[in-house]
Amino acid sequence: MNKIFAKQSIVVPIVSIFLGLMFGAIVMLAGGYNPITAYNALVSEIFSSRYNIGETIANITPLILTGLAVAFAFRTGLFNIGVEGQLIVGMTAATIVGIEFGYLPWFVHMPLSVIAAALAGGLWGGLAGYLKASRGVNEVITTIMLNFIALYLGNYLIKAFYLEPGTARSYKIEDSASLRTDWMTNLFDGARVDLGLIIALIAVIAFYIILWKTKQGFELRAVGLNHHAAKNAGINVNSNVVKAMFISGMLAGLAGATRSLGLFDAQTIAAAYTGLGFDGIAVALLGGNGAIGIVLAATLFGSLKFGGGGMNYVEGVPNEIINVVIASVIFFVAANGIFKLIIKPFKAKRKQKGAAS
Amino acid sequence: MSNYVVEMLNITKKFPGIVANDNINLKLKKGEIHALLGENGAGKSTLMNILFGLYQPTEGEIRINGKKEIINNANRAIELGIGMVHQHFKLVEPFTVTENIILGSEPTTGGSINYKKAVKQVEEISNQYGLQVDPHAKIENISVGMQQRVEIIKTLYRGADILIFDEPTAVLTPQEIDELLDIMRNLVAQGKSIILITHKLKEIMAICDMVTIIRRGKGIGSIATKDASPEILAEKMVGRQVSFEREKEKAQPKGPILKLNNVSMKNEKNVNVLNNISFEVKAGEVLGIAGVDGNGQSELIQAISGLRKINGGQITINNHDITNKNPRKIAESGVAHIPEDRHKHGLVLDFMMTENMVLKSYYKKPFNKNGFLDYKAVDEYAKKLIEQFDVRTPTIYDKARSLSGGNQQKGIIAREINLQPELLIAAQPTRGLDVGAIEFIHSQLIEERNKDKAVLLISYELEEILQVSDRILVIYEGQIIGEVYPEETNDKELGLMMAGKKLTKEG
């Protein structure tokens, strides 16, 4: 377990979160809002009822999957900024399959829709991986570009073939494709918790097992840590790059499935990205690219996102400031190198004093 | 007035958990060349970093010219006239020699750099000490030997009287080493004092007046070279008797294992880096490839091990064509490879030692069970190898990064030899290692040969080539330009061949 929970990887995020919240408090004070009541509202929004807990979980679920997607590529030394696009492609595939094959029984239709999302996302990611492996094109550039293509391609397909007249969204998916189940909905007082949560938790376990228990994972990690040594040891670096991007894209595609098959029952014509793919980068970073770390990080982000709403109703903190608070947490985590830089001279001074005395 | 320019007295340096220097004394006289001898990790660098102001000693004091000083940064060290010639040069490649030398203390007139003056100063220093450099040449276009002279001039330009040389001969050819030794003699003749960090006993005997020896952080003492011999020094350094002679029976080569037939390789600029190379390595012999760094050795290894494709010719193992096959296919046909750069190609530094031990065999039984790795089997195997080859690591689960160079190399050798290869390629197998580790590695290579394996040794160290090989080929500009037997040649002749002079066998 110490692979996931290195001592340093737990201290740094906690300090980062704390500093982020402190900075958020300063921003709120500057804006004339009381940070104590605001943070209070945030906490109670998350935990006050079964419904709220359920909605928080619904916010966490896709972040677990996008966080895993980013981390999986990262473990192979790849920076997949295209999780957003892979998610949209997966979501679109799930929507289409979810609308089309209504004659199938649910136990075929729902898994089929989910698998379609995973495959579509995987192919979208694998494309960037293939370009990197065969032509050496940097995956950062290709995935950013593929994000744009995914967004507008998804919108186009929905608009052209599946738009429900008079709305800005597709037809509802068939019930047989839905991830919702009565027992989960009832358990959380009608909140939008669904089988997406189970998918995410299975993905967490699969992520861990693939990377740390299989031959394939050994290769992926070797390539990620030192591709020269991996190549020298006879590992096919290029095929591992494609595989890593494919699996990463699959995880992103599953995140997409939880949107259209679960949360919304349909796909909206989107003016902008969902942001979940980019949040996934922060989640992976905060979670130290480890399975459990990602669950914790996604929990933090999802909770802040949902609970932030409470700060708005109770203390009247505007959404902009709530986003500043969330962003400052991310900033402090991403910039943890900065505190090391700040802390280091202090440490050195202390050492010198010790040596001189 | 003391006649010592540097006195490091009872220096102790503690880091959390370890004592890197334990009560070490080093006294350098004016005009002296003083060797600092010790194994890797003995604490030589720590001691010199203390002198150069990068670390503060926990206990002890430093006197410069008899006066007690606290050197708390490198600038202070430079002010006191201490200069360091680093092992890995700190030069800006696209800059000229002059630009590199003046970098950081440029002569200026009215805010702009006065290059004329700078060039003149460089030339003056260069003439005074016999350090031949071209002030206008770019670093990337000059030889390693000249780059090192630039580093020396850099310290002199900053007014150094006390020069620290950190393993200066590791990167040089035999001829360049001779030149460097002349330069050092010249420097002390003109009143400079030198501390030479090294573990090469031959150089110490050739040039130094005094030797201070450190073993595992402890000062063993100082001794005048006229009272010492390489055997005495080695024993003091390692703490036990070390043999310099490689005990080996005469080779009894059998049939050829590796055959290269007219192998050629072009680089990106379409220039031949390997030019019609043909040779064979027989079972039961060590074939040494001698040559100066950059004459095609790396490419030759890459060609045989499948890391780079060749443009012409054929490579076979046991008459089995392996030309341009992938590295795994080649490994499976019986080729093991101790790579030149162990950090880049040999190990995944952030993998545990257990994982590194199976880096080439993880996909086979018993480690791979239907796609899942049996980590228990991996751990057992790694444990066996690590014990068998005496790889010193706190636990088998430590990252390869945390081991010393010698132990990392032992780990690689353990892994490669356990592949039971027909051909073992050893590229620079002892680079940067101390005599104890070198002795171990050489004996392993010879043992493989005795088991009728073919061993291909590529090294820039002449001594290593001469000691270990049964037959020697010399490579120059991508071509094999000669074949000699170690008992019929000497380092002078080999050195000339490495510089491109063909053996003229008349008659």
Side-chain angles (χ1 to χ4, degrees), chain A residues 24 71 78 97 99 106 118 145 186 207 215 238 248 260 295 320 345:
Chain A
L78 298 163
V97 176
I99 293 170
W106 74 266
M145 294 303 133
N186 293 336
F207 173 94
K215 161 182 164 274
N238 285 340
S248 173
S260 61
V295 174
E320 287 78 2

Side-chain angles (χ1 to χ4, degrees), chain A residues 146-183:
Chain A
L146 284 167
N147 281 347
F148 286 110
I149 299 172
L151 176 64
Y152 296 110
L153 183 69
N155 278 349
Y156 170 76
L157 288 175
I158 299 301
K159 236 187 226 167
F161 303 108
Y162 297 100
L163 195 72
E164 186 166 315
T167 65
R169 59 164 172 78
S170 70
Y171 293 104
K172 293 269 179 189
I173 54 143
E174 297 293 332
D175 280 347
S176 56
S178 175
L179 290 171
R180 292 207 187 159
T181 60
D182 288 340
W183 67 271

Side-chain angles (χ1 to χ4, degrees), chain A residues 228-248:
Chain A
H228 297 289
K231 189 176 175 200
N232 196 45
I235 294 171
N236 186 334
V237 172
N238 285 340
S239 89
N240 274 292
V241 164
V242 179
K243 282 179 200 164
M245 284 301 287
F246 183 82
I247 295 172
S248 173

